[in-house]
């Protein structure tokens, strides 16, 4: 059965347009609350958010929905997505909610839901909640309406948990780190955790105003971080996105290091220390073929999934892997977290820097990626990928890349975009086939 509102990462859209309206958020609160009202205990939901202006409106609407069906609400304020997942589990909540559109601009917002185990909801749970969205809510009697309260130690709890993932015998003394928090959810916790571990911290993207989240900063726009690392003579730069579940790194020369290189580094380091499970890692079809070849050279495997961190995690749990993620920097280390955690992943990278004593430029570039090109084509409606001209263009591209490259074409799960990616030995051919398919999609869209 197809989900109507949930995409690959919760419900997301332009604020004050369906489905990102206050009225819809209230319904989501009622539906999700009703779905998780199980047993006779007093039910609780942990609600966090990033720093975008619409977070206040969405938070109030969700609280109204949850309390109206009898669920108590614990508000933690601006916090990373992985922190909400962690707190939902550690506080024995029935549900965790993160209000965020991740790396999107401030105009967008989203609702991410976590179960009592701290994991994102299954497809079955999301379908059940969608069914309840269409039904009349069963409101609690006046005496059983939920209560809402804020907790003041949420940041401290998460900082402590993140620091525990850093090897106990190591310190970051003498390591100069520039951290770009994207004016987002980690603007307080990430610099604090790094400083407490001994690092010399230069923090940027830590002045949120509700409108500047992910704006010219963070993991999707690293130019500012690259300049700052070089200007300050830092050893390394760390870029998070708006809800801090992604990590991109910049070495001391200003060169960007993506999620594929970071997963390779963590996997080989953990293998060396006897910590890696599953004999390899899990990544999506978007990860570079160079990563796969490098892992093979290290006697490690790469298990590929469709795009979406939830599918990476499902495979990790099913097959016993403890490292997985996406090229975009969404890295899941299941020994420590139930979802991607940019700060925790960064601490593993920093640990390798300290242990090896090598410069970031030497340590972080483990393989040469094959030429890879990704382009997005926006469409207004319909199903352009099902049209004959687009299918013909795809078939021709696959034939031309046969034996020397890969082609991945998919509809975005969070935006009205068709994503066209190709990679191969011949950079010119890769560009040609991507442009060919994009033109066909534009004509059909």
């Amino acid at each position: 059965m197809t989900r109507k509102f949930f995409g690959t990462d919760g419900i997301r859209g332009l604020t004050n347009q369906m489905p990102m309206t206050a009225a819809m958020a209230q319904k989501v609160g009622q539906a999700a609350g009703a779905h998780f009202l199980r047993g006779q205990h007093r039910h609780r939901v942990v609600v966090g958010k990033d720093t975008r202006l619409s977070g206040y409106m969405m938070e109030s609407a969700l609280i109204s929905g949850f309390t109206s069906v009898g669920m108590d609400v614990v508000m933690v304020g601006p916090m990373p997505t992985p922190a909400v997942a962690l707190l939902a589990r550690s506080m024995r909540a029935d549900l965790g909610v993160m209000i965020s559109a991740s790396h999107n601009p401030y105009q967008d917002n989203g609702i991410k839901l976590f179960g009592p185990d701290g994991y994102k909801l299954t497809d079955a749970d999301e379908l059940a909640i969608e069914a309840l969205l269409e039904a009349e809510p069963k409101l609690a009697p006046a005496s059983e309406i939920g209560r809402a309260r804020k907790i003041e130690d949420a940041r401290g709890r998460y900082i402590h948990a993140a620091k525990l993932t850093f090897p106990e015998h190591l310190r970051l003394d003498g390591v100069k780190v520039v951290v770009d928090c994207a004016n987002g959810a980690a603007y307080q916790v990430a610099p604090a955790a790094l400083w407490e571990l001994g690092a010399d911290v230069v923090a940027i993207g830590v002045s949120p105003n509700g409108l500047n989240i992910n704006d010219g900063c963070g993991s999707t726009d690293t130019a500012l971080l690259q300049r700052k690392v070089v200007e300050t003579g830092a050893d390394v730069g760390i870029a998070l996105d708006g809800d801090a579940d992604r990590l991109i790194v910049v070495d001391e020369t200003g060169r960007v290091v993506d999620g594929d290189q970071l997963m390779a580094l963590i996997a080989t380091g953990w293998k060396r220390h006897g910590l890696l499970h599953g004999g390899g890692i899990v990544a999506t079809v978007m990860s570079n073929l160079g990563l796969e070849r490098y892992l093979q050279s290290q006697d490690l495997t790469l298990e590929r999934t469709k795009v979406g961190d939830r599918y990476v995690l499902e495979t990790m749990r099913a097959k016993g892997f403890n490292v997985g993620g996406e090229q975009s920097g969404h890295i899941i280390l299941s020994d420590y977290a139930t979802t991607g955690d940019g700060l925790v992943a960064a601490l593993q990278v920093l640990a390798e820097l300290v242990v090896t004593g090598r410069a970031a430029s030497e340590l972080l570039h483990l393989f040469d990626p094959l030429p890879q090109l990704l382009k997005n084509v926006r469409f207004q409606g319909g199903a352009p990928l099902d049209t004959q001209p687009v299918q013909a263009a795809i078939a021709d591209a696959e034939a031309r890349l046969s034996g020397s490259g890969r082609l991945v074409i998919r509809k975005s799960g969070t935006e009205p975009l068709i994503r066209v990616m190709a990679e191969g030995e011949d950079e010119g051919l890769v560009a040609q086939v991507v442009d060919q398919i994009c033109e066909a999609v534009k004509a059909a869209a």
Side-chain angles (χ1 to χ4, degrees):
M1 184 176 177
T2 303
R3 292 170 296 176
K4 182 177 179 181
F5 298 110
F6 285 91
T8 55
D9 199 11
I11 303 172
R12 190 179 300 183
L14 187 64
T15 306
N16 273 345
Q17 294 186 19
M18 280 293 290
M20 274 300 107
T21 65
M24 183 63 172
Q26 183 184 51
K27 287 184 177 180
V28 171
Q30 290 172 331
H35 181 63
F36 282 92
L37 286 174
R38 303 165 181 174
Q40 300 304 310
H41 63 281
R42 190 70 193 175
H43 294 83
R44 172 189 292 178
V45 55
V46 173
V47 177
K49 61 182 179 180
D50 63 23
T51 57
R52 62 195 76 219
L53 181 62
S54 58
Y56 295 99
M57 176 185 76
M58 303 302 288
E59 180 184 50
S60 297
L62 280 163
I63 291 170
S64 174
F66 283 120
T67 55
S68 72
V69 296
M71 185 170 274
D72 291 338
V73 177
V74 176
M75 295 174 283
V76 300
M79 289 286 284
T81 288
V84 172
L86 168 76
L87 291 168
R89 184 170 59 171
S90 68
M91 296 181 70
R92 294 184 66 185
D94 300 276
L95 186 63
V97 180
M98 179 64 181
I99 305 165
S100 175
S102 191
H103 57 281
N104 287 22
Y106 83 92
Q107 295 94 333
D108 294 339
N109 215 331
I111 301 171
K112 302 182 182 183
L113 302 175
F114 297 90
D117 57 359
Y119 289 100
K120 291 181 180 178
L121 301 190
T122 64
D123 289 349
D125 279 325
E126 290 181 349
L127 285 169
I129 291 170
E130 288 203 349
L132 290 171
L133 286 172
E134 306 290 338
E136 190 68 24
K138 184 179 179 181
L139 302 179
S143 61
E144 296 178 19
I145 291 172
R147 302 173 184 270
R149 64 184 177 93
K150 293 181 180 179
I151 60 170
E152 302 301 328
D153 65 339
R155 287 198 298 273
R157 291 189 188 204
Y158 174 66
I159 290 171
H160 178 69
K163 287 166 57 182
L164 287 177
T165 71
F166 192 72
E168 188 177 6
H169 63 286
L170 298 180
R171 293 277 297 171
L172 292 176
D173 299 330
V175 180
K176 190 170 190 176
V177 182
V178 182
V179 56
D180 182 351
C181 299
N183 292 313
Y187 78 101
Q188 293 175 312
V189 295
L194 293 167
W195 184 84
E196 290 179 17
L197 286 168
D200 178 4
V201 179
V202 178
I204 59 177
V206 290
S207 301
N209 61 16
L211 307 178
N212 61 359
I213 187 170
N214 301 312
D215 185 10
C217 56
S219 64
T220 53
D221 191 341
T222 59
L224 174 62
L225 176 62
Q226 291 171 267
R227 291 195 301 270
K228 201 70 173 179
V229 167
V230 174
E231 288 171 6
T232 60
D235 297 293
V236 68
I238 293 167
L240 306 174
D241 68 335
D243 68 335
D245 63 357
R246 291 189 184 193
L247 169 70
I248 295 294
V249 171
V250 170
D251 70 22
E252 82 280 5
T253 71
R255 185 178 174 188
V256 174
V257 184
D258 69 11
D260 283 349
Q261 297 280 1
L262 299 178
M263 286 188 288
L265 175 74
I266 293 170
T268 51
W270 280 23
K271 178 189 178 185
R272 192 169 61 251
H273 300 306
L275 301 174
L276 187 69
H277 299 160
I281 71 171
V282 180
T284 75
V285 293
M286 302 300 286
S287 279
N288 196 275
L289 191 57
L291 170 62
E292 188 169 349
R293 293 176 176 178
Y294 172 76
L295 291 173
Q296 288 172 348
S297 75
Q298 303 298 308
D299 295 322
L300 296 173
T301 61
L302 175 61
E303 185 88 14
R304 290 189 184 269
T305 73
K306 59 184 178 180
V307 174
D309 65 284
R310 61 187 296 162
Y311 304 114
V312 171
L313 183 58
E314 285 175 4
T315 300
M316 290 173 65
R317 296 179 75 184
K319 299 189 176 183
F321 293 87
N322 62 346
V323 176
E326 299 182 281
Q327 187 184 67
S328 61
H330 198 131
I331 299 172
I332 303 171
L333 306 174
S334 60
D335 287 0
Y336 304 128
T338 57
T339 187
D341 191 320
L343 176 58
V344 168
L347 292 178
Q348 310 314 304
V349 173
L350 291 172
E352 284 295 303
L353 280 174
V354 173
V355 167
T356 63
R358 297 169 63 191
S361 57
E362 298 175 7
L363 182 68
L364 301 180
H365 304 284
L366 297 177
F367 62 89
D368 292 325
L370 267 68
Q372 187 181 78
L373 181 62
L374 169 66
K375 289 190 176 182
N376 298 320
V377 182
R378 189 167 294 273
F379 67 99
Q380 300 302 317
L385 293 182
D386 295 336
T387 63
Q388 193 280 328
V390 173
Q391 290 186 352
I394 292 172
D396 179 66
E398 289 176 335
R400 297 176 69 189
L401 286 171
S402 179
S404 66
R406 294 190 310 129
L407 185 66
V408 179
I409 301 165
R410 66 182 185 90
K411 181 180 176 183
S412 169
T414 58
E415 301 175 82
L417 299 173
I418 301 297
R419 304 194 190 277
V420 181
M421 188 277 282
E423 66 178 354
E425 305 283 356
D426 185 335
E427 187 171 3
L429 176 59
V430 166
Q432 288 176 22
V433 298
V434 168
D435 287 342
Q436 172 185 331
I437 295 170
C438 286
E439 290 303 319
V441 172
K442 287 176 185 176

